[in-house]
Amino acid sequence: MVRTSVLHQTPLLIPHEDHAKPPEFNFNLKEQEWIYMIKKSNNMKELKQVHGQILKLGLICSSFCAGNLLATCALSEWGSMDYACSVFGEIIDPGSFEYNTVIRGHVKDMNLEEALLWYIHMIEDEVEPDNFSYPALLKVCARFRALKEGKQIHGQIFKFGQDDDVFVQNSLINMYGKCGEIKESCIVFEQMDQRTIASWSALIAAHANLGLWSECLKLFGEMNSEGCWRAEESALVSVISACTHLDALDFGKATHGYLVRNMNGLNIIVETSLIDMYVKCGSLDKGLFLFQRMAKKNQMSYSAIISGLALHGRGEEALSIYHEMLKERLEPDDVVYVGVLSACSHAGLVEEGLKCFNRMRLKHQIEPTIQHYGCMVDLLGRAGRLDEALELIKGMPMEPNDVLWRSLLSACRAHQNVELGELAAENLFQMNSRNASDYVMLCNMYAQAQMWEKKAVIWTKMANEGISQVPGSCLVEVNRKMYKFVSQDRSHPCSEEVYEMLHQMEWQLKFEGYLPDTSLVLFDVDEEEKRQRLSTHCQKLATAFALIKTSQGFPIRIVRNVRMCSDCHTYTKLISVIYERDIVVRDRNRFHHFKDGTCSCKDYW
């Protein structure tokens, strides 16, 4: 057979030097005691010594002894698959257990080709696979997104009558989900006669893998309604991730409560997921509280809280936690440094950011990725150091991507450097960028400079190429429901009330000295129309609606799809003090916490 050289090689004999100080073996030990000695081994050297004595005593013919020796060698973290294969070659009549063990060993090492090859050997030796054979094979197919091989194994499952086994079905759901075939995952799930918690968890994880976050929450609700109250941690992590991506803070809090009630302690992965959810849903203080209470922290934990602090513009605190991480002798990785550099960028900590960038390269020997360079371009660009940002892009060891040129273009628009902005835009267009925001930023820059003819050229180019601008919109949470508003929108059922509230707000704002910044209206129209356009920005509509529909003192939470304009920023600061409300706004880049007439960004964003 093809496998002869692998399976039937001469057994590995123990070198003489391995017996320099052998353990005190009792040659009268019974077979089960030798099995105990196998399991007691802590490394390959000890296992080889035990193996040598088993060979001398002729116990290798015992299926229990040989099976335990094979399993320990193949499945231990310190094991050796080469040695395991030699042990397999000593077994006279290997069965499904022995084949499954070797297959699982190759799966542990993430060796797809060898795992499948041994399955073929198993079939050739007329050893029938069982319900322990296929979950291991499907696991490695899922790991490598090997859909073709996974489908072939699915056919084998039908052939050998294992298609009704719940463990096999769960593995199929997971494999199809990891390979992006969510319909197939659902079909397997629907055809199950008996669904376990693991079945629900696999299906939820399959939807999470494809970013189908709303479906994750829906499935979690259905799972609970069917009486499956103790979900697996993997499912709960998927649900928490769904809350994070949907900005569903209330659902996230409910999931957290579910965890506390139904689990005896949370592991580090779940705790980190909760921290990430809270900070990205705007509840930074809750995220910080959970982080400080963690009994054990790792790189992921520090990365989550540092990135969260960056998102909220609290750069000094992010750096403080980064230094705490170093004191704990935890080595920061490239992901941690993305958070650190982003924190410096959002808080305007230019010199600190440059120091961290150099420390990453020189002390921690981390080669900067395109994400790190993106953070540095953003850091320098926000601070108005545009020439330095351009030089950094030119000196990169890799080709700059659209994100870097877009970041530079945004900085040029903010600092009104038309010449450099045109260079950034030209590079974006050479990359065949069809991102509407690139064209809009360039148009905005021309409009602010009153270069109306150049702006018209870009608008015409957008129209000719069929590129449409995504309108600015806001989502505002009221009574656990999300309501959407678009600028100048009058389609909402409460539109009349909202516009009446806007009128009252503007009246109050006059007493605070508010004057609309009409320079931000990027159309060549008269001042009256500019003021009218400004007054009906989506954020102002959403704020008015929330003021009407929520109780006095209740915080307002708004999510924007685009960056906040400076007029809305000034407007919201004043509204927070006039109406005594905390207002949290998340735009495309970060969070803004408005309270008592100030913003957490300190007017730097």
Side-chain angles (χ1 to χ4, degrees), residues 367-368 373 392-400:
E367 195 66 30
Y373 281 108
L392 184 65
I393 292 174
K394 289 180 177 178
M396 286 167 47
M398 71 280 288
E399 284 294 316

Side-chain angles (χ1 to χ4, degrees), residues 277-567:
M277 182 273 294
Y278 276 115
V279 297
K280 288 182 178 175
C281 288
S283 187
L284 177 61
D285 290 340
K286 182 65 174 179
L288 277 168
F289 175 75
L290 291 178
F291 176 79
Q292 298 298 348
R293 289 191 61 187
M294 289 181 76
K296 185 179 180 182
K297 305 179 179 77
N298 62 9
Q299 285 179 333
M300 290 176 60
S301 314
Y302 276 99
S303 179
I305 198 65
I306 289 171
S307 298
L309 287 163
L311 196 59
H312 290 263
R314 289 161 67 166
E316 292 87 353
E317 291 177 66
L319 286 177
S320 176
I321 288 180
Y322 160 69
H323 289 300
E324 175 189 315
M325 180 183 184
L326 297 180
K327 287 180 183 177
E328 293 292 327
R329 300 187 182 279
L330 276 173
E331 195 78 5
D333 59 8
D334 59 328
V335 179
V336 170
Y337 269 111
V338 168
V340 170
L341 296 176
S342 178
C344 293
S345 175
H346 284 301
L349 304 173
V350 181
E351 297 306 322
E352 289 83 351
L354 291 169
K355 287 177 184 177
C356 290
F357 185 71
N358 289 329
R359 186 182 296 118
M360 176 186 74
R361 294 185 301 115
L362 303 176
K363 183 176 180 180
H364 294 116
Q365 300 294 305
I366 297 174
E367 195 66 30
T369 64
I370 197 78
Q371 287 84 7
H372 297 115
Y373 281 108
C375 290
M376 294 306 294
V377 170
D378 190 54
L379 173 76
L380 295 168
R382 287 175 187 271
R385 295 163 66 164
L386 303 176
D387 291 333
E388 292 177 63
L390 180 61
E391 288 304 312
L392 184 65
I393 292 174
K394 289 180 177 178
M396 286 167 47
M398 71 280 288
E399 284 294 316
N401 62 9
D402 60 328
V403 176
L404 270 74
W405 288 118
R406 191 169 295 121
S407 179
L408 183 61
L409 175 58
S410 178
C412 291
R413 183 198 60 77
H415 294 283
Q416 273 301 288
N417 189 323
V418 175
E419 182 180 355
L420 195 52
E422 288 178 328
L423 174 64
E426 182 182 344
N427 279 277
L428 280 167
F429 298 152
Q430 285 176 359
M431 293 179 178
N432 296 318
S433 169
R434 294 185 58 81
N435 190 322
S437 67
D438 300 337
Y439 293 84
V440 172
M441 274 195 288
L442 185 59
C443 286
N444 290 352
M445 187 171 63
Y446 285 144
Q448 286 179 293
Q450 296 190 350
M451 301 169 71
W452 304 111
E453 291 183 3
K454 286 193 172 184
K455 179 193 171 184
V457 170
I458 300 301
W459 276 124
T460 303
K461 179 180 173 68
M462 284 182 69
N464 291 340
E465 295 185 8
I467 299 171
S468 57
Q469 178 186 0
V470 177
S473 64
C474 283
L475 292 172
V476 60
E477 185 177 9
V478 173
N479 298 326
R480 297 192 177 186
K481 292 184 180 180
M482 302 300 287
Y483 296 87
K484 184 177 180 178
F485 288 89
V486 179
S487 296
Q488 302 182 62
D489 185 11
R490 288 188 176 270
S491 62
H492 194 277
C494 298
S495 182
E496 190 172 328
E497 291 178 78
V498 168
Y499 276 82
E500 176 59 33
M501 186 65 191
L502 274 181
H503 180 70
Q504 293 181 30
M505 291 160 66
E506 288 177 7
W507 179 259
Q508 294 283 348
L509 285 164
K510 287 179 181 178
F511 294 104
E512 297 294 328
Y514 165 74
L515 291 173
D517 184 2
T518 55
S519 67
L520 296 173
V521 179
L522 307 174
F523 296 92
D524 191 12
V525 294
D526 61 40
E527 285 296 308
E528 181 58 33
E529 185 169 348
K530 287 182 178 181
R531 282 193 293 271
Q532 192 277 329
R533 286 176 179 270
L534 271 181
S535 68
T536 54
H537 275 191
C538 58
Q539 183 171 321
K540 297 172 184 177
L541 295 173
T543 303
F545 177 75
L547 287 171
I548 296 168
K549 297 297 180 179
T550 58
S551 303
Q552 178 66 33
F554 196 83
I556 296 171
R557 300 177 64 249
I558 296 172
V559 180
R560 294 180 59 111
N561 69 333
V562 295
R563 185 178 183 272
M564 192 188 314
C565 75
S566 59
D567 184 72

